[in-house]
């Protein structure tokens, strides 16, 4: 059975903060950060935006591109995030209620640092493939935070991407050709219960974590599918900053042309569980029938999911049916100063 | 502040923008009511509201009630949707209320409407945000 994406959509909040604005407050060297991390600005959620609200908007955009999928036919919905609004009470129920998919469906919130988003895609497409459900929704969304002054504060951003999977040949806009995962126990990044901000193993985060897992997953995926970098039109990697995804792509043998379309972090920041899935939406926005796409996520802790995706002839019919990802990134921006940003992100504690 | 029970009963209108269309005179009521004010009809079919519209008038609340203090100043608007239905909603994504204007094109987006401190329930619904660029 052929299983694929029948609808996709992204949501990016309108607020932005420039890297200089953060660096100024901490007396940091902005040009050095820009060069080192290749980050220029990042998205910031409003006080009224969270993983649930962004997931609803992304899912509605996915439904708009689905060619009339009845939400009542959605049999499963998963949201991967490390910033679910409640510690206890699912995000997925709110999203399922808002898109009209309740009550006959299976819902779960997933966690695995930054790869929780592709986890939801992985499980959703597998359930459709198994014939358990007609349609399944996988969402990656985050409004993550870095401690004030920590390196993560320059990158932690907000955004969401949603994908509806199905097996109707007429509706599939991109086929899931194959999947592969590469996972080990690696303590590169963590946040304990009740802690506001995560901690990281500093230099330990790069080589043994991000690069080792991303490269083994991508290579394992290509070996399994009998493909090599030259076969792909696009490749998307996890984007903790602007530098890592380009470096890992080049190390694997991909070119700038293959990597740039899904490379959003310099202007979006790191949207954690949303990062590589939002990159995939930006690629689908301009992809052509027949294009092969490699999607490789990374989540600390650590693991990496890979997908080989083949775009079908339906893609050109759906691209204009919802706001495109680059448009959301480039238009309607509201720039914040650090004070307004700190208030919005709860870095200033309010009296009750 | 609403109660969780009341918000839960109102999910269809709050989460999915479900209005009630009078089966007698076709008037669309939002929020839904038990009796049609136009014809006295008592039977309705659900109708999902369009999400595009424009601001008819607005006001900015600078001393908001409990549950809204982190959203000060709080702009509220009367919005006319593409099908002519008018509703009162908060306007979202406003850093500077000076930029608001009557006639401004808006779309309804799913947002947090209010929240009961850091430990209480979060109430979701729709806000109007500026549409287009
Ligand atoms: Zn009537």
């Amino acid at each position: 059975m052929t299983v694929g994406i029948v609808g996709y959509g992204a949501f990016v909040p309108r607020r932005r903060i420039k890297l200089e604005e953060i660096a100024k407050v901490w007396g940091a060297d902005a040009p050095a950060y820009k060069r080192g991390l290749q980050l220029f600005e990042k998205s910031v959620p409003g006080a009224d935006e969270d993983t649930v609200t962004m997931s609803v908007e992304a899912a509605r955009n996915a439904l708009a591109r689905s060619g009339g999928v009845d939400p009542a036919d959605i049999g499963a919905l998963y949201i991967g995030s490390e910033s679910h609004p409640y510690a206890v009470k699912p995000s997925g129920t709110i999203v399922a209620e808002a898109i009209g998919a309740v009550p006959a469906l299976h819902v779960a919130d997933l966690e695995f640092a930054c790869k929780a988003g592709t986890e939801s895609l992985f499980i959703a497409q597998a359930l459709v493939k198994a014939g358990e459900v007609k349609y399944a929704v996988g969402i990656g969304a985050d409004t993550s935070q870095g401690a004030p002054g920590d390196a993560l504060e320059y990158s932690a951003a907000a955004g969401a991407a949603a994908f509806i999977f199905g097996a109707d040949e007429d509706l599939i806009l991109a086929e899931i050709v194959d999947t592969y995962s590469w996972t080990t126990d690696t303590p590169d990044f963590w946040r304990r219960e009740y802690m506001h901000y995560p901690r990281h193993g500093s230099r330990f985060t790069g080589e043994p974590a991000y690069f080792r897992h991303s490269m083994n997953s991508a290579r394992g995926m290509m070996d399994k599918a009998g493909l090599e970098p030259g076969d792909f039109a696009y490749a998307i990697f996890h984007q903790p900053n602007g530098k890592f995804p380009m470096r890992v792509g080049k190390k694997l043998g991909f070119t700038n042309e293959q990597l740039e379309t899904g490379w959003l972090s310099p202007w979006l920041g790191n949207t954690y569980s949303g990062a590589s899935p939002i990159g995939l939406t930006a690629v689908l926005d301009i992809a052509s029938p027949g294009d092969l796409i490699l999607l490789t996520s990374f989540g600390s802790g650590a693991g990496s999911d890979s997908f080989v995706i083949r775009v079908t002839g339906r893609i050109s019919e759906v691209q204009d049916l919802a706001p495109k990802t680059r448009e959301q990134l480039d238009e309607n921006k509201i720039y914040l100063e650090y004070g307004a940003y700190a208030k919005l992100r709860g870095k200033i504690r309010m009296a009750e | 502040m609403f109660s969780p029970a009341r918000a839960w009963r109102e999910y269809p209108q709050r989460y999915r923008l479900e209005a009630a269309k009078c089966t007698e005179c076709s008037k669309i009521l939002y929020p839904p009511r038990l009796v049609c004010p136009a014809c006295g009809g008592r039977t309705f079919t659900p109708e999902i509201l369009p999400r595009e519209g424009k601001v008819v008038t607005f006001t900015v609340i600078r001393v908001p009630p409990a549950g809204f203090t982190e959203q000060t100043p709080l702009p509220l608007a009367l919005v006319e949707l593409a099908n002519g239905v008018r509703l009162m909603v908060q306007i979202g994504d406003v850093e500077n209320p000076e930029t608001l204007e009557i006639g401004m094109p808006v779309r309804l987006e799913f947002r947090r409407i209010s929240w009961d401190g850091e430990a209480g329930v979060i109430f979701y619904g729709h806000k109007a945000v500026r549409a287009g660029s």
Side-chain angles (χ1 to χ4, degrees):
Chain A
M1 179 165 50
T2 305
V3 169
I5 298 165
V6 301
Y8 74 92
F11 181 83
V12 177
R14 290 171 182 75
R15 290 176 177 80
R16 301 284 185 281
I17 188 163
K18 287 185 184 290
L19 186 136
E20 288 90 338
E21 185 63 25
I22 300 172
K24 187 168 82 183
V25 170
W26 302 110
D29 180 0
Y33 264 104
K34 276 184 164 175
R35 260 196 324 275
L37 298 173
Q38 287 187 32
L39 289 170
F40 306 108
E41 59 188 58
K42 65 168 193 171
S43 67
V44 180
D48 57 1
E49 291 175 302
D50 62 24
T51 286
V52 165
T53 64
M54 298 189 306
S55 295
V56 168
E57 290 298 322
R60 284 174 170 170
N61 287 337
L63 279 165
R65 289 193 174 102
S66 73
V69 164
D70 182 350
D73 287 335
I74 293 169
L77 183 144
Y78 303 110
I79 304 181
S81 179
E82 58 168 62
S83 47
H84 292 290
Y86 290 93
V88 178
K89 195 210 161 304
S91 303
T93 51
I94 307 169
V95 175
E97 186 84 49
I99 66 170
V102 291
L105 85 163
H106 184 250
V107 167
D109 289 358
L110 304 173
E111 290 187 8
F112 192 145
C114 293
K115 100 168 176 72
T118 58
E119 252 179 15
S120 74
L121 273 56
F122 203 97
I123 297 171
Q125 62 89 32
L127 277 176
V128 174
K129 200 168 188 176
E132 292 282 324
V133 296
K134 187 168 184 194
Y135 300 111
V137 177
I139 299 172
D142 256 312
T143 55
S144 293
Q145 296 233 47
D150 186 90
L152 288 175
E153 194 186 13
Y154 294 91
S155 58
F163 300 85
I164 306 169
F165 296 90
D168 302 330
E169 301 263 354
D170 301 349
L171 290 186
I172 292 174
L173 57 90
E175 179 195 337
I176 304 298
V177 178
D178 210 346
T179 60
Y180 182 78
S181 276
W182 205 87
T183 307
T184 72
D185 184 47
T186 307
D188 58 319
F189 176 95
W190 61 89
R191 178 169 65 84
R192 295 278 299 275
E193 187 93 276
Y194 309 118
M195 295 291 109
H196 272 72
Y197 303 113
R199 294 202 189 173
H200 50 89
S202 205
R203 298 203 76 83
F204 190 47
T205 57
E207 289 304 327
Y210 179 87
F211 288 97
R212 180 161 170 255
H213 290 78
S214 300
M215 293 186 69
N216 278 300
S217 180
R219 281 197 182 121
M221 177 76 271
M222 288 189 280
D223 286 350
K224 186 180 172 206
L227 296 165
E228 48 191 72
D231 296 323
F232 293 89
Y234 304 99
I236 304 133
F237 295 92
H238 176 53
Q239 312 183 11
N241 50 51
K243 191 172 165 184
F244 279 21
M246 291 304 266
R247 192 199 276 175
V248 80
K250 299 277 180 60
K251 277 183 162 193
L252 284 159
F254 291 96
T255 62
N256 276 339
E257 291 68 42
Q258 290 166 299
L259 297 168
E260 274 169 356
T261 306
W263 183 52
L264 308 175
S265 46
W267 309 275
L268 174 60
N270 178 8
T271 51
Y272 287 62
S273 303
S276 55
I278 298 174
L280 175 59
T281 65
V283 164
L284 290 172
D285 278 343
I286 64 153
S288 304
D291 283 348
L292 272 185
I293 301 167
L294 175 70
L295 171 67
T296 296
S297 66
F298 169 73
S300 291
S304 179
D305 297 332
S306 287
F307 302 74
V308 172
I309 299 165
R310 185 188 292 115
V311 177
T312 76
R314 187 167 168 261
I315 192 74
S316 39
E317 295 167 32
V318 308
Q319 285 164 332
D320 294 330
L321 296 180
K324 293 196 169 109
T325 302
R326 285 272 176 186
E327 287 166 9
Q328 295 189 49
L329 205 51
D330 296 342
E331 296 170 6
N332 258 325
K333 294 190 275 196
I334 303 167
Y335 282 102
L336 299 176
E337 292 183 355
Y338 194 87
Y341 162 76
K343 179 183 154 201
L344 277 177
R345 300 309 284 133
K347 291 175 199 287
I348 299 170
R349 313 301 290 171
M350 309 268 287
E352 283 291 319
Chain B
M1 204 79 215
F2 337 99
S3 74
R6 181 183 147 199
W8 176 75
R9 281 195 302 274
E10 294 175 352
Y11 278 171
Q13 72 199 54
R14 291 182 181 279
Y15 281 20
R16 295 192 291 274
L17 294 169
E18 271 185 34
K21 186 175 184 179
C22 177
T23 50
E24 293 294 319
C25 74
S26 297
K27 189 172 174 63
I28 298 168
L29 307 179
Y30 187 89
R33 291 190 224 172
L34 294 175
V35 181
C36 174
C39 75
R42 286 171 181 271
T43 52
F44 301 91
T45 49
E47 168 113 354
I48 305 281
L49 295 177
R51 296 208 285 141
E52 287 69 39
K54 60 178 198 296
V55 170
V56 176
T57 185
F58 66 90
T59 184
V60 179
I61 296 170
R62 290 179 191 277
V63 186
F68 296 88
T69 45
E70 283 163 70
Q71 307 184 71
T72 316
L74 182 75
L76 270 184
L78 178 66
V79 166
E80 183 171 307
L81 298 176
N83 64 353
V85 169
R86 290 183 169 197
L87 67 162
M88 283 294 294
V89 279
Q90 291 180 44
I91 313 182
D93 289 350
V94 181
E95 281 299 314
N96 175 10
E98 306 283 302
T99 60
L100 294 173
E101 52 201 357
I102 286 170
M104 182 174 110
V106 290
R107 58 180 272 115
L108 300 179
E109 279 189 5
F110 198 77
R111 294 293 171 104
R112 288 184 180 207
I113 300 302
S114 71
W115 46 95
D116 184 7
E118 292 205 355
V121 76
I122 302 163
F123 298 99
Y124 292 94
H126 285 81
K127 287 190 184 181
V129 299
R130 188 186 285 271
S133 33

